[in-house]
Amino acid sequence: MGRVLSVASECVPFIKTGGLADVVGALPAALAGQGWEMRVLLPAYRRLRPLLDEMVEVLHEPGLFGGVGRVFSGRQAGVDLLLLDAPHLFDRDGGPYNGPGGDWWDNPQRFAALSWVAARIAREGLADWQPDVLHAHDWQAGLAPAYLRYQGAGGVGSVLTIHNIAFQGWAPASLLAELRLPAAEFHPGALEYYGGLSSLKAGLVTADRITTVSPTYAEELLRPAFGMGLEGVIAARGGDVTGILNGVDTQAWNPEAETHRYSARDRSGKAAARGALCAEFGVDVPGPLAIVVSRLTDQKGIDLLPSVIPDFVAGGGGLCILGSGDPALEAAMRDLAKAHPGRVALRLGYDEGLSHRMFAGADAVLVPSRFEPCGLTQMYGLRYGTLPVVAATGGLADTVIGASPATLAAGVATGVVFHPTDSIALGQALRKLLALYAEPEVWARMMANAMAHPVGWEASAAAYAKLYAEVAK
Ligand code: ADP
Ligand code: GLC
């Protein structure tokens, strides 16, 4: 059995701000089925410190960016977990990346510390465990392959996965020495990035292989609009870059396990789920009931909703929104709900249980993203027969078959796909949704297609296993 050290800043069920956590949390079980044993290294954020009591210390790092670091190991919630306890960096109130006043000022040092320890474990191993592969996720772990490369990889292979290139882990060049990076590598072909440092770029130039979370995003990343400054770095890696689509946890996301159960064969329970959802949100919707479950940010195209939802409501539709994020978008969603009482409703905040009831009860899920490396909610939508209405970008384009005369005639459509991400195209998509909903047989066929579409991890786990085998030396 091969061994993989996965290093990230988030992992379900321990700490989550987005889909990164779902993916990092799902990989160990998915890869176990492929003959790869995975341990996950996370920072011991304040809220995770109680777990340390049940874990054993396996590594001591006396000088870790201003304090002592200790790694604890143990099986928690079904995951072989390694926690980096470094109180001077992680024992704080607030989120993983920010506190009350914004981003933590020492994020470069905090995640350099995580990466430093990951590289050390990869190179030296633990008393009972020597990884064959280091798998780093996003900018927070970007320095791990760099430390491994610059200090001698000792035969351990490395993979860096890009979940979202919008976050690049920028730091001023003056931190080069403090971050323990070699001065000789500070040039445009390696660590230098617009005069400073980027931990994501460091990973992109040093990892043996690079993946991102969908085949379409892997292609999009080569273009400036999506690569966000790193397109040239990625292009230079050529065939080392591949897209492996995320899966979803089909046990956690299962319409047969919800309160009002239903299945692809017997969908009668969905009507009860819909009724309960309408009651919970205080809406009464004659046409299609759509949902949005999302971070409220520019990436997600949330700002387009106010210009298209009035027509959708006039056509009989309704919308329930669950999310939080940008204060201006939160205010816009509040106004939208206020303008359409009984048809549009909003819950601000993060609520996993409610999100399940929304996917179970709704007819459609809207994902109008400007870019979407993979996206998970459209896949929950497929699984629940809650038809996705998605922008043709990234993983959205790779997972949804848009309704068109041809796909409807062939009986394969699973949702509505629009392009480009603007209010005209989204408005048209919602008109199409209303028209499809008015034809119960067509709608039923699309629901059946959606629910039959595979969204689990099987195929992608095999792709990761193949990649690990290639980089393990
Ligand atoms: P991203 O990681 O860019 O936010 P993804 O679609 O990959 O986008 O993952 C988002 C994850 O977070 C999904 O599991 C989604 O259901 C969940 N999520 C987002 N906002 C909320 C919320 N307000 N309440 C509950 N779950 C949410
Ligand atoms: C990022 C992306 C999202 C992707 C997730 C997990 O947060 O924005 O599209 O699904 O990572 O890979």
Side-chain angles (χ1 to χ4, degrees):
M1 211 174 196
R3 292 165 166 181
V4 183
L5 173 64
S6 176
V7 53
S9 58
E10 301 185 23
C11 176
V12 157
F14 310 108
I15 174 92
K16 167 169 170 173
T17 71
L20 168 68
D22 294 287
V23 173
V24 173
L27 283 176
L31 267 299
Q34 299 284 334
W36 286 88
E37 183 197 332
M38 187 178 276
R39 294 194 184 180
V40 180
L41 175 67
L42 290 179
Y45 303 112
R46 173 164 291 178
R47 73 176 88 159
L48 300 188
R49 299 193 82 232
L51 296 177
L52 297 175
D53 296 340
E54 305 156 19
M55 300 170 76
V56 292
E57 185 174 334
V58 292
L59 188 124
H60 187 87
E61 182 84 35
L64 190 66
F65 300 90
V68 175
R70 297 186 300 165
V71 176
F72 289 77
S73 172
R75 197 161 168 85
Q76 297 285 351
V79 176
D80 288 319
L81 188 64
L82 297 168
L83 281 180
L84 170 59
D85 185 31
H88 59 295
L89 301 172
F90 302 116
D91 187 13
R92 303 173 182 182
D93 277 332
Y97 318 120
N98 42 41
D103 280 358
W104 297 115
W105 66 273
D106 57 351
N107 275 344
Q109 289 86 343
R110 295 171 77 232
F111 293 103
L114 178 71
S115 301
W116 179 265
V117 166
R120 184 176 157 196
I121 295 173
R123 192 170 42 246
E124 298 172 14
L126 299 170
D128 65 334
W129 197 75
Q130 171 61 56
D132 305 294
V133 177
L134 170 71
H135 188 169
H137 299 271
D138 267 353
W139 72 267
Q140 298 91 342
L143 288 178
Y147 291 137
L148 195 62
R149 165 71 58 89
Y150 296 142
Q151 282 157 30
V156 175
S158 61
V159 175
L160 175 73
T161 295
I162 305 167
H163 294 264
N164 193 334
I165 208 152
F167 304 101
Q168 304 184 343
W170 196 84
S174 57
L175 289 185
L176 191 69
E178 187 184 336
L179 296 182
R180 306 177 184 178
L181 292 165
E185 298 295 335
F186 190 72
H187 58 82
L191 295 175
E192 193 271 342
Y193 187 55
Y194 292 104
L197 295 165
S198 149
S199 55
L200 187 61
K201 183 186 173 189
L204 291 174
V205 296
T206 53
D208 291 330
R209 296 286 287 272
I210 296 160
T211 71
T212 187
V213 288
S214 69
T216 292
Y217 194 58
E219 283 171 23
E220 288 173 340
L221 281 175
L222 299 172
R223 314 212 305 261
F226 292 94
M228 300 193 186
L230 288 167
E231 58 277 0
V233 177
I234 293 170
R237 294 298 310 259
D240 292 340
V241 185
T242 50
I244 301 177
L245 201 62
N246 290 333
V248 302
D249 181 338
T250 51
Q251 277 180 350
W253 293 94
N254 179 5
E256 294 186 57
E258 300 291 346
T259 312
H260 302 283
R261 301 191 204 162
Y262 61 97
S263 65
R265 257 168 289 110
D266 177 6
R267 296 197 297 267
S268 49
K270 193 162 174 73
R274 190 185 192 279
L277 180 62
C278 287
E280 186 166 2
F281 272 88
V283 294
D284 187 3
V285 181
L289 174 62
I291 54 169
V292 166
V293 176
S294 182
R295 292 187 288 119
L296 302 180
T297 66
D298 176 68
Q299 173 190 343
K300 303 292 181 179
I302 301 299
D303 53 298
L304 302 175
L305 296 175
S307 55
V308 297
I309 292 303
D311 275 355
F312 183 57
V313 167
L319 177 65
C320 296
I321 306 164
L322 169 63
S324 66
D326 181 343
L329 291 173
E330 290 188 354
M333 294 304 102
R334 225 181 269 123
D335 291 345
L336 188 60
K338 226 180 264 163
H340 304 279
R343 284 295 194 83
V344 178
L346 169 70
R347 293 285 179 281
L348 283 177
Y350 186 91
D351 189 333
E352 190 92 21
L354 177 57
S355 73
H356 277 259
R357 297 194 291 283
M358 292 173 75
F359 283 100
D363 299 306
V365 55
L366 311 185
V367 196
S369 306
R370 295 201 160 78
F371 66 96
E372 196 61 78
C374 180
L376 300 178
T377 59
Q378 84 282 8
M379 292 199 268
Y380 304 154
L382 291 171
R383 177 108 172 109
Y384 281 70
T386 301
L387 302 188
V389 178
V390 303
T393 186
L396 302 174
D398 290 336
T399 50
V400 181
I401 302 173
S404 69
T407 58
L408 289 171
V412 297
T414 60
V416 176
V417 180
F418 64 93
H419 183 79
T421 302
D422 62 21
S423 51
I424 294 173
L426 176 57
Q428 276 164 356
L430 291 178
R431 282 195 288 282
K432 192 184 267 186
L433 191 75
L434 291 166
L436 291 165
Y437 192 78
E439 290 189 70
E441 275 170 30
V442 175
W443 189 272
R445 179 64 195 264
M446 288 179 69
M447 280 178 77
N449 292 343
M451 295 181 82
H453 187 95
V455 292
W457 271 102
E458 294 75 15
S460 301
Y464 277 112
K466 185 165 169 282
L467 181 70
Y468 294 154
E470 284 165 15
V471 300
K473 290 157 195 153

